[in-house]
Each structure stands twice: as C-alpha cells, then as structure tokens.
Amino acid sequence: MITLIFLLSIHLQQLAFTSPKCSSANMSTSNLSTERAPCIPSRVLHLRQLPFNITEQEVLALALPFGRVSKLITLKAKNQGFLEMASEEAAVTMMNYYTSAPPTIRNQPVFIQYSNHRELKTDNLTNQRAALQAISTAAMHSGTMAPGSDGRGVVHGQSPVLRIIVENLFYPVTLEVLQQIFSKFGSVLKIITFTRNNQFQALLQFSDAVHAQHAKASLDGQNIYNGCCTLRIDFSKLSALNVKYNNDKSRDFTRSDLPTGELDPTAAFSKGLYIHLHIYIMCSVSPQCLFILFGVYGDVQRVKILFNKKENALVQMSDATQAQLAMSHLNGQRLHGNVIRVMLSKHPVVQLPRGGAGQEEQVLTRDFSGSALHRFKKPGSKNFNNIFPPSATLHLSNIPSSVSEEDLKDLFSSRGFTVKAFKFFQKDRKMALMQLASVEEAIEALIVLHDHLLDHNQHLRVSFSKSTI
C-alpha cells in the first residue's frame, strides 16, 4: 500500500503548480487600455503556458462555467492568451477557484492571473463578439453554464455528487485514494464505494456543484496509476449522500462520530465485498489447476473443491480487487470443453478440513498462502502491468539461453498443443511469444506448463499476452 500511495503522490504533483501571480506581461497591441497597478482584480485574465496549437474552444472551456466571455485573444507563438469576462465578479470567481484548483489543458498545467489591462481593445472584434455570444448561448443550453446563475456558471439543480466508475482496475482504489485525488478540486464531504455489474464504483459528494463540475472536467478519462485504473465520471441524480457508517466502504468526512457498523453478509455478497469466488465447471479439476489459472489475476490463498459437487470449487484471493479481476477475465471462458462460470461467494472464508476429515476431503482443499508461485507478492510488482484477458498467444519468460525455439515448440507439442507461431523477443531472448490454436488451448497450456522446469533450476513462466505474432 505504501508503494501505491507513493505512485499516487507523484501523479498529483504533476497536476499541481504554483498559485497564480499578477501579470507583468506587456501586450504589443497598440490600442489596449492603459496599464494599471498589478494584483488588482480585472475582467481581463492572462493565461500562460498554454499547449502548442491550442484552440479557442479549449480556452473558452476553462471560463464558460463561471460566466460569459466577451473577448478572447490567443498568442499561440508565445503560448499565452487573454480573455475578458462579461463581469468582474465572474473573473474574480474564476480566479479564486483556479487558485485553489489549478486547471490543466491536455494534461498540461495552465497559469491564470489578473491582467494589468482593464479591458481588451483591439480591432475587428465585432465578429468575435458574435461568435463568443453564440458559443456562450450554446453552452447555456448544453448545461455548461446557466443564465441567471451566480456568476460561476453552475447549472440550477446541478448535483454536487459525482458517480465514478474505475475501469482497468489493477490496483486497489480505496476511500483515501479517492479523497486525495478529488480534494484537489474542492472540499470532499462524503464518499460511498461499491461494486456493481462487476465494476468498482463510487459516489462522491463535494461541498459545491462547481467543484464537482471542475473535477469531472479535469479527471474524466484520466488514469490514477500509469496505464490503469481509468476514471469514468458523470453527475449523479442524487443531490446528497446519506452515509450511515465510517468504514473502508463509506465515509462522511464531516462527522467523526459515526459508527463503523457491522457488515451484513447478504449485503456484502450483493456488493461484491467478499474476496472468495465460486467456480462452476462441468468437469473435475484439481486445486493446483485452479491455483495456477486464477493466480494469473491475483495471489490465490486457498482452493476448495466441493466434496459432493466436484464440478464446483471455492477460490480465495488475497483481496477483493484481485477477485474482481479474476471474475471479469475468466467468467465465460472454456476449459476442457466446458464453460467456466465464476461468481462471488457468500462464504466469508474458505475453511480448511478438520482433523477428522477423510483423505479425499483433505486432498480437495489446499492452502496456497505460502506458495512461491504467487505473481504479485511484491508490492508494486511489474506483473500488475501485464494482466490481460485469456488469449491464444502466450507470453513466455525466464527462458534459459540453452533452450532453443525448437525445444519450446517440442515441449508444447508433446503435451498435445498445436503451435501456430513462435517468436523470441528481439532485445531479450529470455522472453518469447507463442501462438496456439485457440484461447481454450492457451488456457490449458498455461495450467500445464507454467513453472515447468527447463534447465538448471530455471522454471518457465507463462502468462497471457496482449500482443499477437
């Protein structure tokens, strides 16, 4: 967890920058008004460090939530711009907001400050005024801003509650992680997390709807960590959240007196809080097979084949995120000609056999918590970045220099698998891609040959690849 918070802090530092200062820049346009003393509020705002080849629409998107824009000048050669708000109140509101929540365009921080100019006086602005008026009117109709608002452009009735879906969930996303990210854009009051349709989701309430608007505009589509945990954000229909408990699933940051509450097993099952999976396959499999297969998506702690229903099994993962990953990637796949069905289990733990249990029952239940084959036991392991759905192409690694392409092809062929294509990595011969006849064959090959001894105590590592040959 320490590694995750460290990665997160780096990401947040990239979004932050020094609070804006008053402008001392001189404009070359000859008929601009006389300069005034710096740091005095003005309808004219000076924008610096704009991205290369920025469009006027991108600049306007920063301002329209706060009110109508009457004039706009972009100096693309200098990566700067000037915009004039219709009122000084709107400019002050925008300036105050972006001082506490610095804006970004194309993931690049933008500096905003008051200009030394009271208004923009340049030639040929008649057509631009008409265009800006049209854009502002369209924005009001689309909900970006509202006529008659308080100057901040908040739509009447707009909710301060955001609905957040985290896609590509490879690392756990906690209440603390969400609070740390979203508090950059305003005061976060309450958060509720849950799992629905096999997706991690959250409801997050800001103190103000404008904070929610800016958080959505800035974070929607962004990754919490490099290449994963993508945020999909929309406004909730709820106007406020009702939080009854302060625990790892819900939090009211305005009330420290709330109880932690006891988890109801039925509610936990429906929300996917348990980390145990119920596996159904028409054929019998061993605990070792399930350990290898489900171990692609997390560290399997225990596996239990049901004594009276041997086509059913319970698999216990090390955390709920890994259980969700395994379920989303393996449900519906085929093994030995039969479809795998995966669902969350209602059992709180996978029980080990008691002392008086028979030998067969003991064989059907295995504890893998101490196994050396766990792929993700090291915090921040690179294996988290290489989790992919089952595919016909396998990624092979830890290949000794003494093992040739023909050796590997023969190994897989001798187990009954059809090798369609093979390729060593050009820069690292310890790794290779192997394409088999089908996804089902690749699943079975991974189960059979992962950790196979190749040479001098070097064991083959097998995983699913996102690439093809």
Side-chain angles (χ1 to χ4, degrees), residues 300-357:
V300 176
Q301 301 301 303
R302 293 178 179 179
V303 176
K304 181 182 184 70
I305 308 295
L306 301 191
F307 183 73
N308 294 322
K309 296 181 180 179
K310 292 186 173 59
E311 68 278 7
N312 287 261
L314 298 175
V315 175
Q316 179 178 333
M317 311 294 288
S318 63
D319 65 50
T321 301
Q322 295 177 0
Q324 289 289 341
L325 279 174
M327 182 168 63
S328 63
H329 286 312
L330 293 177
N331 184 44
Q333 297 294 338
R334 301 184 73 88
L335 178 62
H336 303 315
N338 298 285
V339 177
I340 306 172
R341 297 299 180 194
V342 187
M343 65 192 75
L344 293 171
S345 169
K346 62 183 178 181
H347 295 281
V349 293
V350 172
Q351 296 283 0
L352 294 175
R354 296 177 181 177

Side-chain angles (χ1 to χ4, degrees), residues 189-190 243-247 250-260:
L189 302 184
K190 305 173 184 178
V243 176
K244 297 181 179 180
Y245 304 109
N246 282 339
N247 52 36
S250 63
R251 190 77 50 83
D252 186 336
F253 295 98
T254 67
R255 294 188 59 186
S256 59
D257 59 319
L258 291 180
T260 58

Side-chain angles (χ1 to χ4, degrees), residues 41-95:
S42 167
R43 287 190 302 158
V44 181
L45 297 175
H46 179 198
L47 288 73
R48 297 186 291 117
Q49 287 194 196
L50 296 174
F52 172 74
N53 204 24
I54 193 172
T55 64
E56 291 184 347
Q57 285 76 11
E58 288 177 295
V59 178
L60 288 172
L62 292 179
L64 286 178
F66 301 90
R68 186 168 60 84
V69 178
S70 56
K71 300 173 187 176
L72 172 64
I73 296 175
T74 55
L75 307 175
K76 295 182 180 181
K78 295 184 178 181
N79 302 106
Q80 298 183 27
F82 291 82
L83 59 84
E84 180 183 314
M85 303 298 289
S87 68
E88 186 173 298
E89 179 187 6
V92 170
T93 303
M94 177 177 169
M95 185 68 183

Side-chain angles (χ1 to χ4, degrees), residues 404-417 419 434:
S404 67
E405 175 180 337
E406 291 304 317
D407 292 333
L408 290 170
K409 287 181 178 179
D410 290 343
L411 173 63
F412 279 76
S413 298
S414 67
R415 298 298 196 278
F417 304 116
V419 178
M434 177 176 287

Side-chain angles (χ1 to χ4, degrees), residues 9 11 27 29 61 85 105 112 150 167 208 219 223 230 248 252 292 298 324 330 340 343-344 386 389 399 414 421:
S9 66
H11 176 77
M27 295 182 65
T29 310
M85 303 298 289
I105 298 179
I112 301 180
D150 57 5
E167 298 178 346
D208 196 308
L219 294 176
N223 295 329
T230 306
D248 61 342
D252 186 336
I292 295 295
Q324 289 289 341
L330 293 177
I340 306 172
M343 65 192 75
L344 293 171
N386 296 298
I399 303 171
S414 67

